[in-house]
Amino acid sequence: MTCPVCRGNDFTELGEKNNFPLVLCRGCTQRFVHPMPSAQVIDDYYAKYWINTKNIRNGDKKIRKLKSILAPVLRRAPGKTFLDIGCNTGFGVEAARRLGHEATGIDLSAEAIEIAERLYPRNTFIAGTAQDFAQRGRQYDAVLCREVIEHMPEVHSFVAALKTLMKVGGVLWLTTPDAGHFRVPKDFPSWKEVIPPEHVSFFNIDSLRRLLGEYGIEILHKTLLWKPSLRVLARRVS
Ligand SMILES: [Zn+2]
């Protein structure tokens, strides 16, 4: 099996976590679970995936916080349509609606989507994958993708779908743990973000730029953080 980002096959072993071996790709510096868990293992895991009820209780606080994060992103969008990929119970979608956007959210969890529809009925919510949703042919001015890509065993089909869902000129706000951050432990498997099969792919700014760039999505800005988290603003340029 090759590197999920650069498709190379020259790896350094990093040890293991939860019985999943981890490697570093020498070609592109991506770290990942190798071999990737099967689709069955991932599906079984997500069938039991929890919904954070504490987040539901703190909905208004979450929406206020997301509004402040999204406002500068949405100001750079060419129009007023918004999509949250991995929307969970809908806070990001509702935040975008309150900022004047026509907002849609998708999530793998039908249970999360049901809750989102009940809590924030003025938006559109759909259960399913980005890959399936992209086939409907709609494109958005702004896309939010928070803490999603580290869950994906197959990032190329995901980013291809992301591109299809973005208008040319559309903006993306993407977050994921930052494996290249100076505060990530030298003993990589001991990092708290390394939780396979939930998190299976660990990006740094270079591997993320490389992957998005292959699909015409250019990183415009990376937020400097004390926390090992990658938060980027990007634009579909081609
Ligand atoms: Zn690689």
Short mmCIF file of all heavy atoms in Angstrom, two decimals, residues 160-183:
data_model
loop_
_atom_site.label_atom_id
_atom_site.label_comp_id
_atom_site.label_asym_id
_atom_site.label_seq_id
_atom_site.Cartn_x
_atom_site.Cartn_y
_atom_site.Cartn_z
N ALA A 160 -10.95 15.38 -4.16
CA ALA A 160 -11.56 15.52 -5.49
C ALA A 160 -13.02 15.96 -5.34
O ALA A 160 -13.50 16.85 -6.06
CB ALA A 160 -11.46 14.21 -6.26
N ALA A 161 -13.73 15.37 -4.36
CA ALA A 161 -15.13 15.76 -4.10
C ALA A 161 -15.19 17.20 -3.59
O ALA A 161 -16.06 17.98 -3.99
CB ALA A 161 -15.75 14.79 -3.09
N LEU A 162 -14.25 17.54 -2.73
CA LEU A 162 -14.18 18.90 -2.18
C LEU A 162 -14.06 19.92 -3.33
O LEU A 162 -14.76 20.93 -3.37
CB LEU A 162 -12.97 18.96 -1.25
CG LEU A 162 -12.74 20.17 -0.37
CD1 LEU A 162 -13.93 20.37 0.55
CD2 LEU A 162 -11.47 19.95 0.47
N LYS A 163 -13.17 19.62 -4.26
CA LYS A 163 -13.00 20.50 -5.42
C LYS A 163 -14.31 20.64 -6.21
O LYS A 163 -14.72 21.74 -6.56
CB LYS A 163 -11.90 19.95 -6.34
CG LYS A 163 -11.76 20.75 -7.62
CD LYS A 163 -10.73 20.17 -8.56
CE LYS A 163 -10.57 21.13 -9.76
NZ LYS A 163 -9.41 20.80 -10.58
N THR A 164 -14.96 19.51 -6.46
CA THR A 164 -16.22 19.51 -7.21
C THR A 164 -17.29 20.34 -6.51
O THR A 164 -18.13 20.97 -7.15
CB THR A 164 -16.73 18.05 -7.37
OG1 THR A 164 -15.69 17.29 -7.96
CG2 THR A 164 -17.96 17.97 -8.24
N LEU A 165 -17.23 20.36 -5.17
CA LEU A 165 -18.25 21.08 -4.40
C LEU A 165 -17.96 22.57 -4.28
O LEU A 165 -18.82 23.33 -3.84
CB LEU A 165 -18.36 20.46 -2.99
CG LEU A 165 -19.01 19.07 -2.96
CD1 LEU A 165 -18.72 18.36 -1.65
CD2 LEU A 165 -20.51 19.19 -3.20
N MET A 166 -16.75 23.00 -4.66
CA MET A 166 -16.38 24.41 -4.57
C MET A 166 -16.48 25.08 -5.94
O MET A 166 -16.01 24.52 -6.93
CB MET A 166 -14.94 24.56 -4.06
CG MET A 166 -14.73 24.12 -2.62
SD MET A 166 -12.96 24.12 -2.18
CE MET A 166 -12.65 25.89 -2.04
N LYS A 167 -17.05 26.29 -5.97
CA LYS A 167 -16.97 27.08 -7.20
C LYS A 167 -15.51 27.50 -7.42
O LYS A 167 -14.77 27.65 -6.44
CB LYS A 167 -17.80 28.36 -7.06
CG LYS A 167 -19.29 28.12 -7.04
CD LYS A 167 -20.03 29.44 -6.93
CE LYS A 167 -21.52 29.19 -6.73
NZ LYS A 167 -22.26 30.40 -6.36
N VAL A 168 -15.11 27.73 -8.65
CA VAL A 168 -13.80 28.34 -8.88
C VAL A 168 -13.86 29.74 -8.25
O VAL A 168 -14.82 30.48 -8.47
CB VAL A 168 -13.47 28.43 -10.39
CG1 VAL A 168 -12.15 29.16 -10.61
CG2 VAL A 168 -13.40 27.03 -10.99
N GLY A 169 -12.90 30.06 -7.41
CA GLY A 169 -12.93 31.32 -6.65
C GLY A 169 -13.53 31.15 -5.27
O GLY A 169 -13.44 32.05 -4.43
N GLY A 170 -14.15 30.00 -5.01
CA GLY A 170 -14.74 29.72 -3.69
C GLY A 170 -13.67 29.51 -2.63
O GLY A 170 -12.53 29.15 -2.94
N VAL A 171 -14.06 29.74 -1.38
CA VAL A 171 -13.10 29.64 -0.29
C VAL A 171 -13.38 28.41 0.58
O VAL A 171 -14.51 27.92 0.66
CB VAL A 171 -13.07 30.91 0.60
CG1 VAL A 171 -12.50 32.09 -0.18
CG2 VAL A 171 -14.44 31.23 1.17
N LEU A 172 -12.32 27.97 1.25
CA LEU A 172 -12.37 26.80 2.13
C LEU A 172 -11.71 27.15 3.45
O LEU A 172 -10.62 27.75 3.46
CB LEU A 172 -11.60 25.64 1.46
CG LEU A 172 -11.28 24.42 2.32
CD1 LEU A 172 -12.55 23.62 2.62
CD2 LEU A 172 -10.26 23.53 1.59
N TRP A 173 -12.38 26.79 4.54
CA TRP A 173 -11.74 26.86 5.86
C TRP A 173 -11.61 25.44 6.35
O TRP A 173 -12.62 24.75 6.55
CB TRP A 173 -12.58 27.72 6.82
CG TRP A 173 -12.01 27.82 8.21
CD1 TRP A 173 -12.49 27.18 9.32
CD2 TRP A 173 -10.89 28.60 8.64
NE1 TRP A 173 -11.73 27.52 10.41
CE2 TRP A 173 -10.74 28.38 10.02
CE3 TRP A 173 -9.99 29.44 7.98
CZ2 TRP A 173 -9.73 28.98 10.77
CZ3 TRP A 173 -8.98 30.04 8.72
CH2 TRP A 173 -8.86 29.82 10.09
N LEU A 174 -10.36 24.96 6.47
CA LEU A 174 -10.13 23.57 6.84
C LEU A 174 -9.26 23.50 8.09
O LEU A 174 -8.27 24.22 8.21
CB LEU A 174 -9.45 22.86 5.67
CG LEU A 174 -9.20 21.35 5.82
CD1 LEU A 174 -9.33 20.65 4.47
CD2 LEU A 174 -7.82 21.05 6.42
N THR A 175 -9.67 22.64 9.01
CA THR A 175 -8.84 22.42 10.20
C THR A 175 -8.59 20.92 10.38
O THR A 175 -9.42 20.08 10.02
CB THR A 175 -9.50 22.96 11.49
OG1 THR A 175 -10.56 22.09 11.88
CG2 THR A 175 -10.03 24.37 11.32
N THR A 176 -7.42 20.62 10.94
CA THR A 176 -7.02 19.23 11.22
C THR A 176 -5.85 19.31 12.20
O THR A 176 -5.19 20.35 12.29
CB THR A 176 -6.62 18.52 9.89
OG1 THR A 176 -6.41 17.13 10.14
CG2 THR A 176 -5.37 19.10 9.26
N PRO A 177 -5.59 18.25 12.98
CA PRO A 177 -4.41 18.31 13.86
C PRO A 177 -3.13 18.56 13.05
O PRO A 177 -3.01 18.11 11.92
CB PRO A 177 -4.40 16.92 14.50
CG PRO A 177 -5.83 16.47 14.45
CD PRO A 177 -6.38 17.02 13.17
N ASP A 178 -2.18 19.29 13.63
CA ASP A 178 -0.94 19.66 12.94
C ASP A 178 0.22 18.78 13.40
O ASP A 178 0.86 19.05 14.42
CB ASP A 178 -0.62 21.14 13.22
CG ASP A 178 0.59 21.62 12.43
OD1 ASP A 178 1.20 20.81 11.70
OD2 ASP A 178 0.91 22.82 12.54
N ALA A 179 0.50 17.72 12.59
CA ALA A 179 1.57 16.78 12.95
C ALA A 179 2.95 17.41 12.82
O ALA A 179 3.93 16.86 13.32
CB ALA A 179 1.48 15.53 12.08
N GLY A 180 3.02 18.57 12.18
CA GLY A 180 4.32 19.24 12.01
C GLY A 180 4.58 20.28 13.09
O GLY A 180 5.61 20.97 13.06
N HIS A 181 3.69 20.39 14.05
CA HIS A 181 3.82 21.42 15.08
C HIS A 181 4.94 21.07 16.07
O HIS A 181 5.13 19.89 16.39
CB HIS A 181 2.48 21.52 15.81
CG HIS A 181 2.32 22.76 16.63
ND1 HIS A 181 2.85 22.88 17.89
CD2 HIS A 181 1.68 23.93 16.37
CE1 HIS A 181 2.53 24.07 18.38
NE2 HIS A 181 1.83 24.73 17.47
N PHE A 182 5.65 22.10 16.55
CA PHE A 182 6.81 21.82 17.43
C PHE A 182 6.40 21.20 18.77
O PHE A 182 7.23 20.62 19.46
CB PHE A 182 7.62 23.11 17.66
CG PHE A 182 6.94 24.14 18.52
CD1 PHE A 182 7.20 24.23 19.88
CD2 PHE A 182 6.02 25.03 17.96
CE1 PHE A 182 6.57 25.18 20.67
CE2 PHE A 182 5.39 25.98 18.75
CZ PHE A 182 5.66 26.05 20.10
N ARG A 183 5.13 21.27 19.13
CA ARG A 183 4.72 20.69 20.40
C ARG A 183 4.24 19.23 20.29
O ARG A 183 3.89 18.63 21.30
CB ARG A 183 3.64 21.56 21.05
CG ARG A 183 4.22 22.89 21.54
CD ARG A 183 3.19 23.76 22.21
NE ARG A 183 2.68 23.17 23.43
CZ ARG A 183 1.40 23.19 23.80
NH1 ARG A 183 0.50 23.77 23.02
NH2 ARG A 183 1.02 22.63 24.92
#
